[in-house]
Amino acid sequence: MARVRKTVTIRDVAEDAGVSLQTVSRVVNGGPNVRPQVRDKVRASIERLGYVPSLAAQRMSGSRSYIILALNDRERTLADWRERRGTDWVDQMLLGGILTCSRHGYRMMVELVDTHSDHVERELGAALSALQPDGVILTPPHSENRLITELLAARGIPFARIGSDAEGPGIALTMGDEGAAHLATTRLAELGHTRIAMIAGPASYSLSGWRIAGWKRALAERGLPSEGLLEVGDFGYESGTRAARALLDRNPDVTAIIASSDQMALAALEVARDRSLAVPRDLSLISFDNTPIVRFSQPPLTAIDQPIAKTVSRAVEQLIARGQAAEGGAVIEVAAGLVERSSTALAPARA
Amino acid sequence: MARVRKTVTIRDVAEDAGVSLQTVSRVVNGGPNVRPQVRDKVRASIERLGYVPSLAAQRMSGSRSYIILALNDRERTLADWRERRGTDWVDQMLLGGILTCSRHGYRMMVELVDTHSDHVERELGAALSALQPDGVILTPPHSENRLITELLAARGIPFARIGSDAEGPGIALTMGDEGAAHLATTRLAELGHTRIAMIAGPASYSLSGWRIAGWKRALAERGLPSEGLLEVGDFGYESGTRAARALLDRNPDVTAIIASSDQMALAALEVARDRSLAVPRDLSLISFDNTPIVRFSQPPLTAIDQPIAKTVSRAVEQLIARGQAAEGGAVIEVAAGLVERSSTALAPARA
DNA sequence: ACAAGTCTTGAGAACGCTCTCAAAATGTGC
DNA sequence: GCACATTTTGAGAGCGTTCTCAAGACTTGT
C-alpha cells in the first residue's frame, strides 16, 4: 500500500543524472551553455522520474509565476449567471486563454472584481499579492477603469485591455467595433433596407461609441438617415425590450435593427413577435456577440461574431512575450466577422 | 515616478508591529495562543501595510496550496465550444467553484484533460506536480475514470467525483438523476401523457442508467409502458436528431419526450417542427440541464435544472474541510429541480 | 607551450512562508 | 511566595526553485 509518493524534485533529477542542481535547472529552462551530451542525460532522467517543476517554487525563487490573471466584472457576470442568461464571455475568455496559456507552459486564473465598488483596489490588490501573476487581462468595463489600470501600472505588471482601443498604458486589443458595425449596416443596406436602426450599448463602454460611429458611417456613405434611429440599452434583455419598443413606436417604418448584444436582439425578436412582425420578412435583425443562444432561437439570428477567444489568445501571447516590459502604446486589432443566419432578408417592398 | 513598489512581506508586518515573524503567521492563519492585544496590533499593521500572504510562499513552506483544481473533459468541451454549442457546464463549474473558493481563501483553476488519451496520466500528473492542488474536482466522464481516480488516490490528493454515486475513493456528489428523471416523468404523466419516451445519454455515463431507471420507475408506478420508447444519444445535437426521428418513426403516438440534454431536446424540437408537430400542443418536451439556450428557444423549454454550481460548491467545501483526509465513502446528493416553461402541456385528446 | 579568452559547471544565497521546538511569560494551587 | 502547569512568543531550519558569481575545462592565437 504505497501511500503518498514523495514529490520528485529537481534535486532527485540532479542526483539521478549525476550533475548539479543548477545544470538541471538550465536544461529545464532551455538555458544556453549546456553540452548536448549532458542535456540529453538530464532530459532522460527528467523523463524517467517524471519530474515537473513546482510552480510555487519557481515563483518563490524570484522568477516568473507562470500565471496570467483574467479579470471579469463580477456584478454583470454573476447577474447573467444567476438568471441563466448565459455567460459566454467568460467561457470564451477562459477557454481561449487556457489553451494559449498551456501552449506556453502558463496557467490562467479567472477573478471576478466589482467595477463599481470602492473596494476595487483592495480586492484586486489582494489578488495580485496572492497570485503575483505575470500578466493581467482586462475585459470591459475594466479595460477602461482608471483605478485598475493605474494600480497595475504602478505595480509594474504587464496587462492587456480588451475591447478598448484608446491608447494608454498596457496593450490594447480591439475587436474592430467600428468596422463590425459598418459591416453589419452595409450588409443590411445591400439587402435594400433604408431605415436601419441601432440599439447601442451604454456610453460608459467606449465600444458603444465605436459601434455607433460605424453604423453612422455606413449610413452616411449611402445617404441613409440615422436620426431617431438610435436607442441605448445596457446589453441586458429588459433594456432591449424597452429600446425595441421605443424604436418601433417612433419609427413604424424601420425594417432592420442592429442590436449591440445578443440579449437585446433576442428581446427585439420577442417585441417583433408581439407586434406580429415576422422576422426576417418584415424586420431584419443582426446582433452582436454570437453567443450560443442565438443559434437556437427561432429564427436563428444573424450575428456579428466577437472573436473573444482569439483576442484573449493574442493578449496572452503578448503578455508572455513582453515579460516585464509593461510599456504601453500597442494597439492590436482582431477583426470580427458576420455570421449570416435566418434573421436577415431583403427589405420588404415599400407599402 | 515610483516604480514597482516592493512587495509587502510578513517580515515587514512583523517589524511594523514589533513582534516576530512567527506571531504574524499565527495571526494570519487564525492560530490559537495569541494574546488579543497582540492580535489586534498585528491586524492593524496588516491592514495599514496592505499585507496579503503570497500563495507561492505558503505552498512552499509545506502547508496548503490553497488551490482547487477542476478537471473537465477536453474533447467534449472544446468541441462544444468551437461549434458555439455552449459550454455551460464549464461556466457553472467555474463560477460556482470560484465563489465558494474565494469565500474560504482558496482559488480555483480549470484544467482540460482528455479522457480517451493514454496521456491522461502524464497530463494530469504534470498538472498535479506543477500546481500541487489541495483538492481536485472531477466531472463526468472523468468522475468514473479509473486511471484518474487511482492516480489521485495514489498521490493522496483529496478529490470529489461529481455526477457519480458509485461508492469508491474520494467524495461522490450526485445530482439525483434517478429522482430527477422520475420527477419529469411523473409530471408528464400527471398532464395525461401515457406514451412518454426518453432520449438517454450514453451508457458510459452512469448517470444515464440512473435517469433511465427513474423514468422506468415512474412509468411502472402508473402502469405505463416503456418498451420501444427509449433511444440513446451522446448528448450532442446530431444524436438528438437521429434519436427523435427514430422514436417518432417507431411510435407515432408518442406525446411526450424527455431528453437527457438540452442539445438533444432542441434537436427533438426541430424534428417536431419538421413534422408539423406543435410543441407543446402535440408533443411535450422536457430536457435535462437547463442551460441558457433553452430559455430562448421557441417555445422555451421545460427543463430539469442541474444544480451544477451548487454541487461544485458543495464539493469545494468538502474538499477544503477534509484537508488531507482523502478517505472515500461519502456520497452527497444535491437534488435537481424542474423548471416549467412552455414546452409542456396537457396530453392531446386521443385521436 | 603559455596567456587569454570562451564555454560549461557548480556552490551558496535568496525568495516568503510555516514548522518544530525551546525559551519566556503568565497563571495556578497550596 | 514557591514549584509547577500552561499559555504565549521567538529562533532557526526547511520547502524547491532560480540567481549570482566564481571555478574548472576547453579553445585559440601566437
Side-chain angles (χ1 to χ4, degrees):
Chain A
M1 194 164 164
R3 285 285 305 169
V4 189
R5 184 171 66 212
K6 206 184 153 307
T7 320
V8 178
T9 78
I10 199 173
R11 173 163 280 113
D12 300 322
V13 177
E15 216 159 282
D16 185 84
V19 297
S20 80
L21 248 166
Q22 180 49 34
T23 300
V24 178
S25 175
R26 269 191 277 260
V27 172
V28 170
N29 297 299
N33 305 346
V34 180
R35 261 186 324 181
Q37 180 188 343
V38 176
R39 185 194 309 278
D40 290 346
K41 197 168 56 173
V42 172
R43 285 224 175 106
S45 292
I46 289 177
E47 190 66 22
R48 172 148 21 94
L49 270 47
Y51 166 71
V52 177
S54 149
L55 262 198
Q58 290 189 121
R59 168 59 224 162
M60 272 305 293
S61 65
S63 85
R64 287 162 296 183
S65 65
Y66 295 100
I67 287 179
I68 299 287
L69 186 64
L71 245 51
N72 268 79
D73 183 25
R74 175 194 281 138
E75 201 177 345
R76 160 143 236 103
T77 304
L78 291 188
D80 280 348
W81 173 63
R82 290 223 172 88
E83 323 244 320
R84 316 296 297 112
R85 267 182 258 147
T87 44
D88 191 65
W89 176 277
V90 176
D91 270 34
Q92 293 291 311
M93 170 155 169
L94 177 72
L95 293 175
I98 282 186
L99 259 33
T100 308
C101 277
S102 78
R103 207 173 300 130
H104 296 271
Y106 276 66
R107 310 263 159 188
M108 165 156 285
M109 218 148 202
V110 175
E111 187 85 13
L112 302 179
V113 173
D114 259 335
T115 324
H116 302 305
S117 145
D118 20 38
H119 302 309
V120 171
E121 191 159 354
R122 178 195 225 64
E123 284 182 8
L124 180 55
L128 295 179
S129 298
L131 258 25
Q132 294 165 287
D134 290 340
V136 175
I137 295 179
L138 264 29
T139 59
H142 292 328
S143 319
E144 313 193 315
N145 184 318
R146 266 299 176 76
L147 241 65
I148 295 181
T149 54
E150 277 170 9
L151 178 54
L152 289 169
R155 292 226 188 183
I157 300 175
F159 62 97
R161 290 174 292 120
I162 291 189
S164 162
D165 53 4
E167 293 260 346
I171 304 154
L173 294 105
T174 149
M175 296 184 279
D177 290 283
E178 202 270 351
H182 182 269
L183 173 64
T185 310
T186 300
R187 180 73 188 114
L188 289 168
E190 284 168 3
L191 287 168
H193 295 273
T194 53
R195 300 284 289 167
I196 304 171
M198 162 161 262
I199 302 178
S204 56
Y205 287 62
S206 78
L207 58 82
S208 297
W210 288 109
R211 289 182 187 171
I212 292 173
W215 167 70
K216 282 198 175 151
R217 178 164 65 91
L219 293 178
E221 282 168 6
R222 309 191 167 237
L224 297 176
S226 66
E227 255 116 310
L229 295 174
L230 177 67
E231 276 291 326
V232 172
D234 65 5
F235 296 130
Y237 193 91
E238 291 71 20
S239 77
T241 304
R242 271 197 304 279
R245 283 193 185 138
L247 218 41
L248 292 172
D249 284 346
R250 202 165 55 226
N251 309 280
D253 57 345
V254 159
T255 61
I257 298 179
I258 298 173
S260 214
S261 78
D262 286 342
Q263 297 280 333
M264 297 196 293
L266 253 11
L269 179 62
E270 185 64 29
V271 168
R273 196 163 12 237
D274 280 352
R275 304 190 173 198
S276 305
L277 290 172
V279 172
R281 200 195 58 204
D282 306 318
L283 183 70
S284 282
L285 225 43
I286 296 185
S287 73
F288 264 80
D289 288 352
N290 192 30
T291 62
I293 52 175
V294 299
R295 278 195 51 191
F296 300 101
S297 66
Q298 191 59 20
L301 302 188
T302 292
I304 291 288
D305 182 65
Q306 293 284 73
I308 301 174
K310 196 181 215 169
T311 307
V312 170
S313 172
R314 291 289 298 278
V316 168
E317 281 167 357
Q318 288 291 319
L319 289 174
I320 292 178
R322 306 229 166 178
Q324 298 306 332
E327 320 307 324
V331 176
I332 295 171
E333 178 167 333
V334 180
L338 181 69
V339 179
E340 300 221 42
R341 296 207 181 83
S342 317
S343 66
T344 39
L346 286 174
R350 293 304 186 89
Chain B
M1 196 164 163
R3 284 284 306 169
V4 189
R5 184 173 65 213
K6 205 185 152 309
T7 320
V8 178
T9 79
I10 200 173
R11 173 163 279 112
D12 301 322
V13 176
E15 216 159 283
D16 185 85
V19 297
S20 82
L21 246 166
Q22 179 49 36
T23 300
V24 177
S25 174
R26 269 190 278 260
V27 171
V28 169
N29 296 299
N33 304 347
V34 180
R35 261 186 323 183
Q37 180 188 344
V38 175
R39 185 191 311 279
D40 291 346
K41 197 169 57 178
V42 172
R43 286 222 174 107
S45 292
I46 290 176
E47 189 66 22
R48 172 148 22 92
L49 271 47
Y51 167 70
V52 177
S54 149
L55 262 198
Q58 290 188 119
R59 168 60 224 161
M60 273 305 292
S61 64
S63 84
R64 288 161 294 183
S65 65
Y66 295 100
I67 287 179
I68 300 287
L69 186 64
L71 246 51
N72 268 79
D73 183 26
R74 176 196 278 138
E75 202 177 345
R76 161 144 236 103
T77 304
L78 290 189
D80 280 347
W81 174 61
R82 290 222 173 87
E83 324 244 319
R84 315 295 297 110
R85 268 182 258 144
T87 44
D88 192 64
W89 175 278
V90 177
D91 270 36
Q92 293 291 311
M93 170 156 168
L94 177 71
L95 293 174
I98 282 187
L99 260 31
T100 308
C101 276
S102 79
R103 208 173 301 130
H104 296 271
Y106 276 66
R107 308 263 159 188
M108 163 156 288
M109 219 146 200
V110 175
E111 187 86 10
L112 302 178
V113 173
D114 259 335
T115 323
H116 302 303
S117 145
D118 21 36
H119 302 308
V120 170
E121 191 160 356
R122 181 196 223 62
E123 284 183 6
L124 181 55
L128 294 180
S129 297
L131 258 24
Q132 295 165 286
D134 290 339
V136 175
I137 294 180
L138 264 29
T139 59
H142 293 328
S143 319
E144 313 193 316
N145 184 317
R146 265 298 177 78
L147 242 64
I148 295 181
T149 54
E150 277 169 10
L151 179 54
L152 289 169
R155 293 226 188 182
I157 300 175
F159 63 97
R161 290 175 291 120
I162 291 190
S164 161
D165 52 5
E167 294 259 345
I171 303 154
L173 293 105
T174 150
M175 294 182 282
D177 291 283
E178 204 270 351
H182 183 270
L183 173 64
T185 311
T186 300
R187 181 72 189 116
L188 289 168
E190 283 169 2
L191 287 169
H193 295 273
T194 53
R195 302 282 289 166
I196 304 170
M198 162 161 262
I199 301 178
S204 56
Y205 288 62
S206 77
L207 59 81
S208 297
W210 288 109
R211 288 181 188 173
I212 293 173
W215 167 69
K216 283 199 172 150
R217 178 163 66 90
L219 293 178
E221 282 169 6
R222 307 186 170 239
L224 297 175
S226 66
E227 255 118 309
L229 295 175
L230 178 66
E231 276 291 328
V232 172
D234 65 4
F235 297 131
Y237 193 91
E238 292 73 19
S239 77
T241 304
R242 274 196 303 278
R245 284 194 185 135
L247 218 42
L248 293 171
D249 284 346
R250 203 166 54 228
N251 309 277
D253 57 345
V254 159
T255 61
I257 297 179
I258 298 172
S260 215
S261 78
D262 285 342
Q263 296 279 334
M264 298 196 294
L266 252 10
L269 179 62
E270 185 65 28
V271 169
R273 192 156 22 230
D274 280 352
R275 304 191 172 199
S276 303
L277 290 172
V279 173
R281 202 195 55 205
D282 305 319
L283 183 70
S284 282
L285 226 43
I286 295 184
S287 74
F288 264 80
D289 288 351
N290 192 32
T291 61
I293 51 175
V294 299
R295 280 194 51 189
F296 299 101
S297 67
Q298 190 60 22
L301 302 188
T302 293
I304 291 288
D305 182 65
Q306 293 284 73
I308 301 175
K310 197 181 213 168
T311 306
V312 171
S313 172
R314 291 288 299 277
V316 168
E317 281 168 358
Q318 289 290 318
L319 289 173
I320 292 177
R322 304 230 166 177
Q324 298 306 332
E327 321 305 327
V331 176
I332 295 171
E333 178 167 332
V334 181
L338 182 68
V339 179
E340 300 222 43
R341 295 207 182 83
S342 316
S343 67
T344 40
L346 285 174
R350 292 303 184 92

